[in-house]
């Protein structure tokens, strides 16, 4: 055929290539896909890396908290090697009574729809609920860029405090 009009456009570059100047090195696990059957929930936690949440199908509802809210969110220490979780469950109304400082936290809410990308800075707390029906997201994690070294010190301090508090609880 004729010149230039027959094919699909080239795919966009992966986030690491398109946004490389904004982030540190990509994490070795990238990308990670999450497939949900509908209304699944991820407990409140924060990741010690920066994150791009890309919704491919369905939607994700996020409740977000700034790192300054950490004292009100009951960090539970490291549940696994990649994140710090909260003792409080935002899906359980009884936790408002069990964890009274939650009332002092200032949540932000975001609905990330199919085709949207949400930037989650390192250290931001978030709980995630999938939309009705099947939903699919792809996450890309990055180390902090060298220009954000002060954030690394703050996040490392939160992780250390959470681990000490969790050990003290038993």
């Amino acid at each position: 055929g004729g010149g230039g009009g027959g094919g699909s456009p080239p795919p966009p570059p992966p986030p690491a290539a398109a946004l490389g100047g904004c982030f540190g090195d990509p994490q070795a696990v990238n990308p990670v896909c999450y497939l949900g059957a509908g209304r699944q929930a991820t407990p409140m936690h924060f990741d010690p890396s920066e994150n791009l949440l890309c919704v491919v199908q369905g939607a994700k509802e996020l409740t977000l908290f700034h790192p300054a809210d950490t004292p009100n969110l009951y960090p539970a220490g490291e549940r696994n090697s990649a994140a710090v979780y909260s003792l409080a469950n935002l899906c359980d109304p009884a936790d408002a009574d069990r964890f009274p400082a939650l009332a002092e936290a200032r949540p932000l809410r975001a609905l990330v729809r199919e085709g949207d990308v949400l930037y989650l800075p390192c250290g931001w707390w978030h709980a995630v609920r999938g939309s009705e029906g099947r939903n699919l997201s792809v996450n890309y994690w990055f180390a902090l860029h060298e220009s954000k070294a002060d954030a690394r010190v703050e996040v490392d301090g939160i992780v250390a405090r959470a681990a000490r508090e969790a050990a003290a609880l038993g």
Side-chain angles (χ1 to χ4, degrees):
S8 299
L19 303 169
C22 301
F23 299 103
D25 292 334
Q27 299 293 320
V29 299
N30 285 335
V32 175
C33 296
Y34 292 99
L35 177 62
R39 302 304 296 161
Q40 76 283 354
T42 302
M44 184 167 44
H45 68 284
F46 77 80
D47 300 299
S49 301
E50 300 200 276
N51 181 357
L52 292 176
L53 168 65
C54 310
V55 176
V56 177
Q57 183 179 35
K60 302 281 182 158
E61 303 167 33
L62 284 89
T63 303
L64 304 149
F65 296 90
H66 187 278
D69 273 326
T70 296
N72 302 318
L73 300 177
Y74 301 89
E78 292 192 53
R79 184 169 107 173
N80 62 37
S81 62
V84 173
Y85 285 79
S86 173
L87 294 172
N89 178 354
L90 295 182
C91 297
D92 183 353
D95 274 7
D97 293 331
R98 284 194 294 267
F99 302 104
L102 278 175
E104 302 300 316
R106 298 169 308 271
L108 302 170
R109 291 188 173 67
L111 178 61
V112 187
R113 295 183 176 96
E114 189 171 313
D116 290 344
V117 176
L118 176 70
Y119 165 59
L120 273 168
C122 172
W124 274 69
W125 290 86
H126 52 286
V128 185
R129 180 164 300 273
S131 60
E132 295 289 338
R134 188 172 50 218
N135 51 80
L136 172 66
S137 61
V138 179
N139 288 58
Y140 295 88
W141 280 280
F142 300 88
L144 285 171
H145 189 272
E146 61 191 28
S147 66
K148 302 175 186 175
D150 57 332
R152 171 85 283 145
V153 170
E154 182 177 340
V155 168
D156 287 347
I158 292 169
V159 170
R161 263 191 320 277
R164 282 192 307 273
E165 290 171 9
L169 291 173

